[in-house]
Amino acid sequence: MAKLIHKCMAWKTRRDFGRGDKIRDKGQTTPSDVIRFNDIVYGPDQKFKKWQMLDVYRPAANQKSEKLPVIVSVHGGAWVYGNKDIYQWYTLKLAQRGFAVVNFSYRLAPEVKFPAAIEDTENVFQWICNNADEYGFDLNNVFAVGDSAGGHLLTLYASAITNPEYKKTYPFIKDKPLTLRGLALNCGKYDMDPALEQNPLMSMLIEAMVPGGITKDTMFMLNASAHVTKDFPPAFVMTCKGDFLFSQAPLITKALEDAGVKYEYHCYGDDQMPLWHVFHCDPRLTQATVCNDDECNFFKSLIV
């Protein structure tokens, strides 16, 4: 029965989220000043091959052989929805700001359970290392953005590569010749305690993601704010007035503060003109342009 409930919930979430995203993205086209390389397979899972693909976007003015700083995008979607095609218009705009952008899909719940999304993220970072010369990636200056569930997954991944004790949870993560210089965590979900959830849907989404049901140990593993150490990358933490996850941002900023990690906190919109969850993904929105400029400038300040 639980499997059927999770499947139905995922279907409804994909339908409802998809309608809104189609309206937002209607009429979008690839900017003339960006070149793109599409549908590159990065993972070995033949059954879910469509979810293990990535795109690479680069400013057209730069030669492909020229090394550029990299932004990796970990998409949101409540762990059950989303792919690179939905995030292409947002991430193409990031490429216009002087970065090589890697925009990837990952395997979703409930079809594939955690930590599949973390494993896919690791596979993407390994792919970047293996293809740095081909696509002009500067491995000394790699950055990442993640929103909503993607912010959660990115925080877990960044903790896994900087916290030796937590890394033991993910034996598939290997040392790599790249430096993750900084992150942008956008409208993210960081506290995963279902006992504190006021939204029954959020609790069901968490249940759909984890194998074997929710346990105390599993929830601690998934609690993104619990594993931050002093070696966590510098972070740009963003939320907005009108974001239903507004209360989550202080949880990660406190963890960063307690660990002594460099971070910036930004809240966009105000009570008179509120925005909405992941507003920054709408490339037509003036506030999104401001936010994405701020994030890319934060990244540029960290380039060595």
Side-chain angles (χ1 to χ4, degrees), residues 72 74 118-119 121-126 129 139 142-144 153-183 224 227-234:
V72 181
V74 185
I118 300 293
E119 185 175 20
T121 304
E122 167 67 5
N123 285 337
V124 167
F125 277 92
Q126 290 179 357
C129 293
L139 298 183
V142 179
F143 304 91
L153 294 170
L154 178 56
T155 305
L156 292 183
Y157 182 77
S159 290
I161 64 174
T162 55
N163 180 340
E165 187 62 31
Y166 186 57
K167 186 178 180 180
K168 295 176 183 178
T169 307
Y170 307 101
F172 50 79
I173 292 181
K174 309 300 181 184
D175 292 336
K176 293 173 289 300
L178 65 73
T179 301
L180 187 56
R181 291 281 171 201
L183 311 177
H227 309 290
V228 173
T229 66
K230 63 180 180 60
D231 296 318
F232 193 89

Side-chain angles (χ1 to χ4, degrees), residues 80-131:
V80 302
Y81 167 81
N83 56 49
K84 65 181 180 62
D85 294 339
I86 293 166
Y87 274 67
Q88 62 181 312
W89 311 119
Y90 155 59
T91 51
L92 281 162
K93 293 294 186 180
L94 299 182
Q96 286 183 304
R97 292 169 165 88
F99 294 85
V101 176
V102 178
N103 171 31
F104 74 99
S105 305
Y106 54 82
R107 290 170 293 173
L108 300 173
E111 289 88 342
V112 188
K113 300 292 187 179
F114 190 86
I118 300 293
E119 185 175 20
D120 288 349
T121 304
E122 167 67 5
N123 285 337
V124 167
F125 277 92
Q126 290 179 357
W127 182 91
I128 289 171
C129 293
N130 294 337
N131 293 273

Side-chain angles (χ1 to χ4, degrees), residues 9-10 13-14 17 21 74-83 86-87 106 108-109 146-151 153 187 205 244 277-278:
M9 177 195 58
T13 301
R14 292 168 187 172
F17 284 16
D21 288 342
V74 185
H75 71 74
W79 306 284
V80 302
Y81 167 81
N83 56 49
I86 293 166
Y87 274 67
Y106 54 82
L108 300 173
D147 62 81
S148 197
L153 294 170
C187 302
L205 288 166
F244 74 90
H277 188 61
V278 301

Side-chain angles (χ1 to χ4, degrees), residues 213-243:
I214 293 174
T215 67
K216 183 178 179 180
D217 289 344
T218 298
M219 297 319 298
F220 177 72
M221 178 181 68
L222 291 174
N223 192 342
S225 58
H227 309 290
V228 173
T229 66
K230 63 180 180 60
D231 296 318
F232 193 89
F236 185 108
V237 179
M238 182 276 280
T239 187
C240 68
K241 292 297 182 75
D243 179 13

Side-chain angles (χ1 to χ4, degrees), residues 39 46 74 112 137 148 151 184 202 215-216 223 246 250 261 263 273 288:
D39 299 331
Q46 291 299 309
V74 185
V112 188
F137 300 139
S148 197
M202 185 65 74
T215 67
K216 183 178 179 180
N223 192 342
F246 179 81
V261 176
Y263 75 93
M273 297 186 65

Side-chain angles (χ1 to χ4, degrees), residues 97 268-269 273 275-276 279-280 282-294:
R97 292 169 165 88
Y268 296 89
M273 297 186 65
L275 295 167
W276 52 88
F279 72 93
H280 69 296
D282 185 348
R284 295 188 179 100
L285 189 68
T286 299
Q287 295 94 327
T289 299
V290 172
C291 173
N292 294 327
D293 279 343
D294 290 344

